[in-house]
Amino acid sequence: MNELLKQNISKNATFSETELEEFCKHFKLKYFKKKEYLLKQGDVCRFEGFVLNGCFRIFTFDQKGNDNTLYFAAEDWWLMDNDSFMHQSPSHLNIQALEDSEVLMINRTDKLMLYEKLPVVEKLFRVMSQKALVAWQRRLIRNHCETAKERYQNFVSTYPDISSKITDKQMASYLGITHEFLSKIKKR
Amino acid sequence: MNELLKQNISKNATFSETELEEFCKHFKLKYFKKKEYLLKQGDVCRFEGFVLNGCFRIFTFDQKGNDNTLYFAAEDWWLMDNDSFMHQSPSHLNIQALEDSEVLMINRTDKLMLYEKLPVVEKLFRVMSQKALVAWQRRLIRNHCETAKERYQNFVSTYPDISSKITDKQMASYLGITHEFLSKIKKR
DNA sequence: AAAAAAAGTTGAACTAGTTCAACTCTCCGG
DNA sequence: CCGGAGAGTTGAACTAGTTCAACTTTTTTT
């Protein structure tokens, strides 16, 4: 039973020892090489992942072919396409390893079974989703009221570990600006 | 027991008749006059609301004093500040009636009790939150890859009912542009 | 270690969106 | 029904961010 996963869960719900064990035993350790895809746009998402180490980028190609980064997932983050997982529809997202990484993965069947078997699992993901929702709302507001330079500086100071692992191009795609402009921001 | 609430719940979870009744009986009908606040920035959110009719605007004042609209909630939408409700911390959000409105409201104590008593309530809000999460992710992407004009047109065609109830100033604040620029967009 | 590919830099010209100020229109409160 | 406040419009000057193209640097592949 993995200690990091255990701690992560405990932040959001109170599991008994047996519940924790029952929950964790469905996760299997998988390795991803740098640049390898955990999910590709068009595929159906049949799993959920929890990052033990390494880093992933979650992004999508829009109609115009630009790549938009939704977020980065390093150690202690969860990975999945909620939409595709829920409806078993083709995913709009790509999830790609930015470096060699280790992920604990649970498949969809097991997760659905756990929702049924352990009510506390419903609570766990309810709380996780509500917290994530708040974070997305805040990010949208910040995109409206802060300049690109402010957003860049905030990101670097909030996530120094992630900032050091990603290229400027990926950073720009996360901030919603061109990489040329990011280069000009950094110069000053 | 309100029919609209019942239908809304049934979209996201399967309640038995008794569960539905137990759940719904904690909601009380409240009336809000045009311009009245259901929640003010700085207050603690101790309730959750479900709009029966009318319309609300959920917005926040940023550091620079600009008002940013997160979303509008008309008939069949839920209303609350997840962050403030969860942590009982002062809210960053304002929720104001744009017209005379009716809302079914449940207080925090009852809602927390229902989470304990009826496991299906956990599921309901877990599913609702996950769907909302997907919607916020999509909105952020669209803000990056669409122009203000495109976002305006998409909003009007997706939510014609809401569009007709709000002022251009409120629309601009939702789109993340100035109302002067919205006026220029509409002119063309 | 060489070649190829990708990432980053820089400048010039451009455009989407802002700011400010002046004006008009609408609608609601006394 | 009048007065005032807020909503909407318009123009001119501005700025944040884009686009394109040429170039350098770094990383990856062989």
Side-chain angles (χ1 to χ4, degrees), chain B residues 3 16 49 54-55 67 79 89 114 119 128 138 156 162 167 170 173 177-178 181-183:
Chain B
E3 200 51 38
S16 71
C55 190
D67 117 357
L79 276 178
S89 54
L114 284 173
M128 275 174 45
R138 290 219 180 112
V156 172
I162 291 178
T167 65
Q170 292 163 346
S173 145
I177 56 175
T178 59
F181 189 56
L182 178 55
S183 172

Side-chain angles (χ1 to χ4, degrees), chain A residues 144-160:
Chain A
H144 283 170
C145 69
E146 290 175 6
T147 64
K149 189 177 187 172
E150 288 168 336
R151 279 179 279 144
Y152 168 69
Q153 290 168 336
N154 290 342
F155 185 82
V156 173
S157 60
T158 312
Y159 305 105

Side-chain angles (χ1 to χ4, degrees), chain A residues 96-112:
Chain A
Q96 188 186 27
L98 297 183
E99 55 183 39
D100 293 356
S101 306
E102 293 182 332
V103 183
L104 287 175
M105 295 187 67
I106 182 170
N107 68 47
R108 187 166 185 266
T109 320
D110 286 2
K111 199 186 165 194
L112 296 182

